[in-house]
Amino acid sequence: AQRVTQPEKLLSVFKGAPVELKCNYSYSGSPELFWYVQYSRQRLQLLLRHISRESIKGFTADLNKGETSFHLKKPFAQEEDSAMYYCALRPFRGAQKLVFGQGTRLTINP
Amino acid sequence: DTGVSQDPRHKITKRGQNVTFRCDPISEHNRLYWYRQTLGQGPEFLTYFQNEAQLEKSRLLSDRFSAERPKGSFSTLEIQRTEQGDSAMYLCASSFPGTSGSYEQYFGPGTRLTVT
């Protein structure tokens, strides 16, 4: 079965400090990995996906197949980064369902 | 707002009653998804439609749950004989292939159900 684990429910860092939100997954195949973000009073939205290898709002994430991880990183946190972050897995490219982790609430302190 | 819309946004019902939620996807999106999110958890997949065909259902979707997308546009999710365990946020999402064939899912604001 597919599973996504985000070990930290809460993460608090100071503005300007580096941020790393951890995500580990279990799946034997070649999944697609995503990070979704939900800002206060807004809907869930895609932040980035591993196949795009892009940087969005200063965030990057690298898929490590050996460690089955997809950690989200940003070198210098900003107050507007405060939000709920969900790591998600799609079992394979043609699959439809997303499997989400429990989420990490990130708070950036001024 | 041209995004995914859901109605109602909040629903309070008594145990044993039936409830129905509606989702209107983004107009050109042919795929539609339902997820359920309980407190402190991430969304859990319930079912998905391609046009009007329901192609996948989760084991979470018990016999009391039924979803339809009769004309391949809006969708309804009905819960019969609600139980307190049904209290959750019900999320709808829609997608289309896009230039990369990625089927990025766009989420609605959700319907929060409280069963008393």
Side-chain angles (χ1 to χ4, degrees), chain B residues 44-63:
Chain B
E44 295 173 289
F45 172 81
L46 293 178
T47 189
Y48 111 89
F49 292 83
Q50 178 161 311
N51 300 314
E52 66 276 8
Q54 188 174 19
L55 297 185
E56 187 174 352
K57 292 197 293 186
S58 161
R59 286 174 297 172
L60 292 174
L61 215 64
S62 75
D63 292 345

Side-chain angles (χ1 to χ4, degrees), chain A residues 9 32 34 36 38 43-46 49 51 86 90 93-103, chain B residues 1 3-4 31 33 35 37 40-43 45 48 56 95 100-105 107-109:
Chain A
K9 284 206 156 186
E32 287 187 270
F34 305 84
Y36 279 79
Q38 187 166 25
R43 61 190 66 189
L44 197 61
Q45 59 185 282
L46 178 66
R49 73 193 82 187
I51 57 174
Y86 294 95
R90 186 154 67 190
R93 187 160 172 83
Q96 292 308 305
K97 73 175 184 181
L98 292 172
V99 178
F100 286 87
Q102 290 183 305
Chain B
D1 185 0
V4 178
R31 295 188 177 180
Y33 314 79
Y35 291 82
Q37 185 174 21
Q41 302 296 317
F45 172 81
Y48 111 89
E56 187 174 352
S95 74
S100 61
S102 63
Y103 282 101
E104 176 182 338
Q105 294 184 23
F107 283 82

